[in-house]
Amino acid sequence: MHHYFQYLRTYLIIKRKQLLNAFSFSKSKSYIPFVILSEPRSGSTMLHTYLNSHTQIKSYGEVLRENIEANAIATETAPYIESLAFKPHATALKAIGLKLFYEYYEDARYSNSFNYVINRKDVKIIYLIRRDILKVYVSLKIAQKTNVWSSIKSAENEPRPKIAIDRNDYIQFREEHLRHRRLFVTLLKDHPLLEVAYEDLVQNPQPVLKSIQQFLGVKPKALFTLLKQQNPGSVESMITNYDEVKDIV
């Protein structure tokens, strides 16, 4: 029953914001623009849903990727992000944003939108990292294997998927991941930026969410999400050949 009421509450908050936007006679760009920047499998969808439970925050999630793929866009001729997210909104909405992944920066389909964000120094960056890079890698491989990218069901009592790690593939992934982190710290050094760790968001969400809401200039509220952590437990239990690769992890 609790789960049903949480779902209904989420639906009503999101629907109210959609109706406000659709029927508002007063729209502007006076809101705080923001981006959730992260690597896949670092909690960006969880954070996106948390933020959307606030009545004054609108997070568009992966709207950029969804529209570019749906319209088979090979190269952006203009920053698509502006018409999809950073457009006029109802004045009741105080913070508007979306998700961007590291990999978009080097993809021609997203280059104009990514550079648009880099050049707009007023865009606030929620820089979401996951400290445990191995867990990022394992979570990504499990999602690719199962084709389950998010879930509202607890995984506590579910059978745990397992994978074998390719040593060289993981080393390459880790090096690329760290390169991206260094790159974006440099590219976004002039932006207002708040670094958030996935581990902190999962273990003690409300203090982390309060700091994010303050960063976005809205009155902090207790936020909620229906999503559950998909791969709880030790990373060793998810790797079938852990003994062969433990020296690199």
Side-chain angles (χ1 to χ4, degrees):
M1 185 63 73
H2 174 72
H3 182 81
Y4 170 78
F5 282 117
Q6 287 284 59
Y7 178 86
L8 181 61
R9 183 182 175 190
T10 301
Y11 174 81
L12 290 175
I13 288 172
I14 292 173
K15 184 57 67 175
R16 176 181 176 273
K17 287 185 285 190
Q18 289 174 342
L19 291 173
L20 266 175
N21 233 19
F23 296 105
S24 175
F25 293 105
S26 175
K27 292 186 180 182
S28 75
K29 291 188 175 183
S30 61
Y31 54 80
I32 298 293
F34 72 89
V35 161
I36 301 170
L37 176 65
S38 76
E39 181 85 45
R41 314 311 295 166
S42 298
S44 60
T45 300
M46 178 180 286
L47 179 55
H48 153 73
T49 57
Y50 266 126
L51 294 180
N52 264 340
S53 72
H54 195 292
T55 55
Q56 295 181 317
I57 301 174
K58 172 63 178 173
S59 174
Y60 281 97
E62 292 189 66
V63 65
L64 184 61
R65 177 189 61 78
E66 291 164 358
N67 278 269
I68 284 176
E69 290 183 356
N71 292 289
I73 295 173
T75 305
E76 283 187 302
T77 56
Y80 209 26
I81 196 172
E82 191 168 25
S83 62
L84 292 173
F86 297 144
K87 56 190 176 182
H89 283 78
T91 54
L93 300 176
K94 304 301 183 184
I96 307 294
L98 76 168
K99 292 165 49 174
L100 289 180
F101 291 134
Y102 297 165
E103 63 201 54
Y104 291 178
Y105 180 66
E106 292 160 342
D107 188 324
R109 294 176 298 171
Y110 307 95
S111 59
N112 278 326
S113 285
F114 219 119
N115 284 315
Y116 172 88
V117 170
I118 291 169
N119 292 327
R120 272 195 65 174
K121 308 304 182 188
D122 63 320
V123 175
K124 293 193 172 186
I125 308 297
I126 303 171
Y127 190 32
L128 181 61
I129 66 166
R130 191 167 184 173
R131 298 187 187 105
D132 192 332
I133 300 175
L134 177 60
K135 274 208 167 182
V136 177
Y137 178 83
V138 170
S139 180
L140 179 62
K141 294 300 180 183
I142 288 176
Q144 290 171 342
K145 178 180 179 180
T146 62
N147 200 33
V148 177
W149 296 87
S150 62
S151 177
I152 61 173
K153 295 180 179 179
S154 173
E156 289 291 335
N157 300 313
E158 295 293 322
R160 301 284 173 82
K162 296 185 178 184
I163 61 162
I165 285 185
D166 180 292
R167 183 185 186 91
N168 292 331
D169 187 58
Y170 172 67
I171 290 173
Q172 182 179 351
F173 175 87
R174 183 178 62 187
E175 290 176 352
E176 189 72 357
H177 182 94
L178 292 172
R179 183 182 71 82
H180 277 139
R181 283 195 190 178
R182 292 190 296 267
L183 172 66
F184 291 115
V185 165
T186 302
L187 288 174
L188 300 169
K189 62 182 176 62
D190 295 325
H191 285 68
L193 185 147
L194 179 68
E195 184 173 304
V196 175
Y198 165 84
E199 288 84 353
D200 298 336
L201 182 63
V202 169
Q203 291 168 15
N204 194 13
Q206 292 308 322
V208 176
L209 294 167
K210 181 179 179 180
S211 69
I212 294 172
Q213 292 173 80
Q214 290 171 333
F215 179 65
L216 295 179
V218 299
K219 184 178 179 180
K221 299 181 178 182
L223 304 183
F224 54 91
T225 180
L226 296 173
L227 297 185
K228 304 295 184 183
Q229 189 178 9
Q230 286 184 265
N231 299 300
S234 69
V235 71
E236 295 94 323
S237 66
M238 292 179 270
I239 302 173
T240 57
N241 61 332
Y242 184 77
D243 287 342
E244 299 171 19
V245 295
K246 61 184 178 182
D247 61 309
I248 61 168
V249 300

